[in-house]
Amino acid sequence: MFFGPEFTGWKELKPEIPAGTEPMEEQKIVAAAKIARDELKSFLLSSLQMQHVAVLAGSGTSLGTITKGPSMWTLWDFCVNSNPGSGAKREISDAASKIISEVGYDLSAEKENIEALLSRCEAYLQIKTSREVSEFIIASKKVILEKCSQFLDPADERQLAAHRTFLHRLSRRRVRDSRLKLFTTNYDVCFETAAGRQGLVVLDGFSFSQPRHFDPRFFLYDIVRRPASGDEVGTPLEGVFHLYKLHGSVNWSNTPQTEIEVNAKPKPEDACLIYPAKGKYQQSYAQPHLELISQYFFQI
């Protein structure tokens, strides 16, 4: 669906036409969808000419039959059910059932909501000590980390085709324009991987030296092309953009030195992520999340 700047409501881009719809009505629906797609295309093309462009990407950019990223329901399935990923009737495991009972999670009211369940577990631990609940939280964080890390297939060229096209068109901007600023709440590395495959350069707040550590000053850096003689002023390199991961990343790790470093496989307890729970709002006031959200508010 598409909501334009001057719209009064959402417009369907690929509407589902109910069975038995009259031909004339079906034609109207199809025509309206085509108009909406043309409006969206025109809007995106015009946005390329703007001096400042900022994009906010949510979980939808990692979902779908091609990208294959996990949904919140998938995370519930693998954290709670005894037969995850089987496609059979879902059955809550005995261990998870005991946790749900102990913390008083109302499944009929809250439904299969992993964020609500983890929130309930964390609230429960504020007033009681429970080894089982603590272990469930740790195990769930491990599942979330793994599911958000392992769905990318290096051999599948189609998987990130949309990401590559999107970044290619938006990051190659005029020299006088500011760099594209891409904000995402996703943990995965879809955008970084797509950028690497497309030959683009990501400025993500981490150092260029190894080990790569986070420092917001690196967002102030840029990359220019200079002649070999060095006598002329350099020009900004094409295909460079800023990436702000508001909720952290599956390849960020907290170190004993209180630094944030890039780590391909961090431990669940060390991963620099704002895990799904109501406590994520409090976590967002810690670094580096506070700096990243501040950058977001500055842009809007």
Side-chain angles (χ1 to χ4, degrees), residues 35-264:
I35 292 173
R37 290 195 297 271
D38 290 341
E39 289 175 333
L40 174 58
K41 183 177 180 180
S42 177
F43 173 76
L44 292 176
L45 288 174
S46 65
S47 69
L48 294 176
Q49 307 304 318
M50 296 178 183
Q51 184 176 2
H52 303 284
V53 175
V55 176
L56 175 61
S59 60
T61 58
S62 298
L63 301 179
T65 56
I66 296 178
T67 309
K68 302 176 183 178
S71 65
M72 293 297 284
W73 182 89
T74 300
L75 298 180
W76 169 281
D77 189 28
F78 281 84
C79 289
V80 176
N81 293 332
S82 61
N83 55 346
S86 65
K89 182 180 178 181
R90 300 187 296 276
E91 297 179 359
I92 297 178
S93 68
D94 292 339
S97 182
K98 292 178 181 178
I99 297 299
I100 289 173
S101 176
E102 180 176 353
V103 302
Y105 182 76
D106 189 349
L107 190 58
S108 61
E110 296 284 0
K111 308 300 181 184
E112 297 175 333
N113 186 331
I114 188 62
E115 180 172 332
L117 176 56
L118 290 178
S119 298
R120 186 73 181 183
C121 290
E122 290 182 350
Y124 182 82
L125 292 178
Q126 295 298 313
I127 56 175
K128 288 188 177 182
T129 300
S130 172
R131 179 175 59 84
E132 291 77 11
V133 174
S134 297
E135 289 177 350
F136 175 77
I137 292 177
I138 294 173
S140 296
K141 288 182 176 181
K142 181 179 180 181
V143 168
I144 293 169
L145 184 61
E146 290 176 349
K147 289 299 172 185
C148 292
S149 303
Q150 299 175 355
F151 68 91
L152 288 177
D153 182 0
D156 188 351
E157 288 294 326
R158 297 188 314 139
Q159 191 176 24
L160 295 177
H163 290 72
R164 293 176 62 175
T165 300
F166 174 80
L167 292 175
H168 173 75
R169 293 182 179 178
L170 281 182
S171 63
R172 294 186 177 274
R173 295 163 50 72
R174 297 170 299 189
V175 172
R176 65 177 180 271
D177 294 336
S178 64
R179 298 295 195 184
L180 165 69
K181 290 178 170 52
L182 175 56
F183 297 87
T184 179
T185 55
N186 296 346
Y187 307 139
D188 59 61
V189 292
C190 285
F191 285 111
E192 299 96 309
T193 304
R197 294 180 184 178
Q198 196 64 30
L200 306 176
V201 180
V202 182
L203 299 177
D204 56 2
F206 283 81
S207 63
F208 296 94
S209 57
Q210 298 294 335
R212 299 189 64 213
H213 66 275
F214 181 84
D215 189 320
R217 290 178 298 178
F218 290 117
F219 282 121
L220 302 176
Y221 287 22
D222 207 337
I223 301 177
V224 299
R225 179 187 291 105
R226 298 186 63 186
S229 63
D231 296 332
E232 300 178 23
V233 177
T235 57
L237 185 71
E238 301 87 350
V240 179
F241 69 96
H242 290 195
L243 178 64
Y244 303 84
K245 306 191 77 171
L246 302 176
H247 288 177
S249 181
V250 294
N251 64 341
W252 294 2
S253 180
N254 293 290
T255 70
Q257 294 75 33
T258 68
E259 288 189 337
I260 311 299
E261 292 183 353
V262 172
N263 183 341

